[in-house]
Amino acid sequence: MSEEDLEEDYDDEEQKEDDEKLGEDEDEKEAVEEEEEEHPVSNPLTEDHFKEGLSLLSKTGNGLAHAFVKFEAREKELTDITLIQSFIHLRYVDLSDNLLQDLSPLSCLTHLLWLKVDNNRLTSAALDELPYLQIASFANNHIKDTCGINHPRLASLSLKGNEIEVISGLDPVKLSNLHTLELRSNSLKSTAGLQLPKLKTLYLAQNSITQIEGMENMTQLTTLHLRDNLLEHLDGFSESLTSLQYVNLRGNAVSNIQEVAKLQKLPLLRALVLLDNPCMDEGDYRMETLVLLPRLERLDKDFFEEDERLDAEDVRQRRREEELELEREREREKELELELEEEIPEPAD
C-alpha cells in the first residue's frame, strides 16, 4: 500500500470517527460526567484486577526469572492505580476508559515500552522520565499543555482530543526519537512550539489554527495534516521543510487559489488536499493548482493525467511570454520618457 493510500485511510478513519461522535447523545454524556466529577467514588486498583488483566509471560531484564509484562484494565472506573507500583516488570499497560486523574505511580515502571491511558480525567501528561517508553497515548482527556513529556526513546505520542491551546515544553534533545505526533482535536491556534527536527508525521486536524509558524527546523517532516482549521493564508511554510511530501488542508478558509504558490518552496511536495476550501469555487482550481505547483502529483484524491500536465505547461508558457512582453513594454515606456526629457528645452535665464 502506498503512502498516499495510507493517508486516505487515515482521512477516512478520521471522518468515520467524526460521524460516530455526531451520533452520540452529547448532552447526556456531559451530564453524567459532571455528576461523576461532583461526587467522585474511590475505586482503586486491586489484586483481582491484576489476576484478570495480566498476560504475556516473559523473561525479566536479567533473564533469570519470568514475569507477566502486559496489563490491561479498561472500563473499570478506576480512580487510583497505586498498586501498579509493585509490578515493576510491566512493559505494556492499557488503562483506558477509567476515571484516572493521577498517573504518578507509573513512574516506577522503568521497563515500560507501551502506554495507553485514553478516555480518563487527566489534566496533564507529565510523568517522570521512562527510559524505554516508545509509544504513548493520552487521547481524549482534559490535558491542558504538552509539558513534562521527556522520555528519550518515545517514538509515537498521541494527545488528540484534549484541551491544549499552546504547544510548549517539547524538548527536541530529549525527544530526539519522536517521529509521530498526534494533536488532533485540541484548541491550538498556531503551530508554534514544534521544534522537533526528527518528527516525520504530524497530525493537527480539527484545531483552530490560523497561522503556520515555528516549523523551520523540521527537516524530516514528510506528512502534515491540517484539516478542519481556520487557515486563510499559507504563509509560514519554510524552505527547510525539505522532506515534506503530503499536506492536507481540507476544510480550511483558503479563498484565493494564489495562496498555493507559497508552497512552491517545498521541493518534495507531491500530494495536496484542498477540498472544502472556498478556493475550490475559483474557475478551474485543479488546473490553476497544477500551474502553480508543477511538481505536484496528486490533488485531493486524484492523480494528474499527462494531458493535464501538458495543458498546465501551456498556461505557464503563455504567462511567461505575457510577463516578458509586459516587461518589454515597461522598458519601452521608460526609454520614451527619457527621450521626451531630453527634447524639452531648458528655460532661459
Side-chain angles (χ1 to χ4, degrees):
M1 181 178 289
S2 68
E3 182 173 340
E4 288 82 2
D5 292 334
L6 290 173
E7 295 306 333
E8 284 188 17
D9 288 346
Y10 178 86
D11 291 339
D12 293 341
E13 182 63 27
E14 190 178 67
Q15 188 63 54
K16 181 180 178 182
E17 289 181 16
D18 296 344
D19 293 341
E20 289 174 352
K21 287 180 181 178
L22 289 173
E24 295 175 353
D25 188 342
E26 293 294 338
D27 294 336
E28 181 180 348
K29 181 180 177 182
E30 290 177 5
V32 171
E33 289 181 350
E34 288 176 4
E35 183 178 351
E36 289 175 344
E37 289 175 2
E38 290 175 4
H39 306 285
V41 177
S42 178
N43 186 28
L45 201 58
T46 65
E47 294 285 352
D48 288 338
H49 290 124
F50 279 100
K51 289 178 183 178
E52 180 184 348
L54 283 172
S55 63
L56 193 59
L57 191 64
S58 181
K59 288 184 178 181
T60 58
N62 58 19
L64 302 177
H66 288 78
F68 289 106
V69 298
K70 183 177 180 180
F71 177 61
E72 179 180 313
R74 298 172 60 100
E75 299 180 346
K76 305 297 183 183
E77 298 186 356
L78 296 173
T79 60
D80 184 340
I81 57 170
T82 301
L83 188 60
I84 205 170
Q85 296 175 116
S86 303
F87 295 80
I88 60 173
H89 297 294
L90 287 176
R91 300 174 193 169
Y92 310 94
V93 172
D94 188 350
L95 294 167
S96 299
D97 305 295
N98 284 290
L99 306 174
L100 299 176
Q101 297 180 356
D102 178 21
L103 297 181
S104 59
L106 294 176
S107 297
C108 295
L109 307 184
T110 56
H111 297 284
L112 197 62
L113 301 174
W114 185 93
L115 174 64
K116 190 173 183 180
V117 286
D118 299 350
N119 301 306
N120 277 281
R121 294 184 179 177
L122 304 172
T123 58
S124 173
L127 282 169
D128 289 349
E129 183 179 302
L130 295 170
Y132 300 107
L133 185 63
Q134 297 176 26
I135 298 174
S137 181
F138 300 85
N140 304 320
N141 279 277
H142 303 288
I143 294 170
K144 309 293 185 182
D145 57 52
T146 55
C147 297
I149 303 171
N150 302 310
H151 316 296
R153 297 193 183 185
L154 190 63
S156 177
L157 172 64
S158 176
L159 290 164
K160 72 176 181 181
N162 280 285
E163 301 167 15
I164 300 167
E165 295 185 1
V166 177
I167 301 168
S168 62
L170 297 180
D171 189 329
V173 176
K174 293 180 179 179
L175 296 174
S176 60
N177 288 299
L178 187 63
H179 62 67
T180 301
L181 178 58
E182 166 70 273
L183 283 164
R184 177 161 49 109
S185 298
N186 277 278
S187 301
L188 297 172
K189 296 177 177 60
S190 165
T191 59
L194 286 167
Q195 299 294 329
L196 297 167
K198 298 297 181 66
L199 202 65
K200 294 183 178 181
T201 305
L202 177 59
Y203 300 110
L204 293 170
Q206 297 170 338
N207 279 278
S208 300
I209 295 172
T210 61
Q211 190 170 1
I212 304 296
E213 57 183 332
M215 302 180 71
E216 292 78 13
N217 296 326
M218 300 175 70
T219 57
Q220 295 189 28
L221 190 68
T222 63
T223 301
L224 177 60
H225 275 259
L226 285 161
R227 177 179 175 176
D228 296 331
N229 277 283
L230 302 174
L231 290 167
E232 296 181 23
H233 307 286
L234 300 182
D235 302 293
F237 283 90
S238 170
E239 293 178 354
S240 61
L241 293 169
T242 53
S243 301
L244 190 55
Q245 301 177 32
Y246 177 94
V247 177
N248 190 330
L249 294 167
R250 181 173 184 171
N252 276 270
V254 179
S255 59
N256 187 348
I257 193 61
Q258 296 303 314
E259 288 292 315
V260 172
K262 297 173 182 177
L263 303 181
Q264 291 173 355
K265 61 183 66 176
L266 304 176
L268 288 186
L269 183 64
R270 296 296 180 264
L272 176 66
V273 181
L274 282 172
L275 289 168
D276 302 328
N277 276 271
C279 63
M280 288 188 66
D281 298 329
E282 285 193 23
D284 191 349
Y285 104 106
R286 180 175 172 83
M287 176 58 65
E288 189 62 29
T289 301
L290 185 57
V291 169
L292 295 170
L293 300 174
R295 293 189 296 267
L296 203 63
E297 296 177 358
R298 186 182 65 154
L299 177 64
D300 303 330
K301 294 186 178 183
D302 298 317
F303 285 87
F304 287 107
E305 301 292 340
E306 185 60 29
D307 58 342
E308 291 180 294
R309 295 192 173 281
L310 292 173
D311 290 344
E313 179 55 35
D314 288 343
V315 174
R316 282 191 294 272
Q317 180 63 30
R318 185 175 69 251
R319 289 181 183 177
R320 283 193 292 265
E321 292 173 356
E322 290 173 352
E323 289 173 2
L324 285 172
E325 183 59 33
L326 186 59
E327 184 62 30
R328 293 191 192 100
E329 184 64 28
R330 292 195 190 102
E331 291 295 328
R332 286 194 291 269
E333 289 177 357
K334 288 181 181 179
E335 291 174 0
L336 182 58
E337 288 176 1
L338 289 174
E339 291 176 1
L340 290 174
E341 289 176 0
E342 291 175 357
E343 293 177 0
I344 297 174
E346 293 183 3
D349 294 337

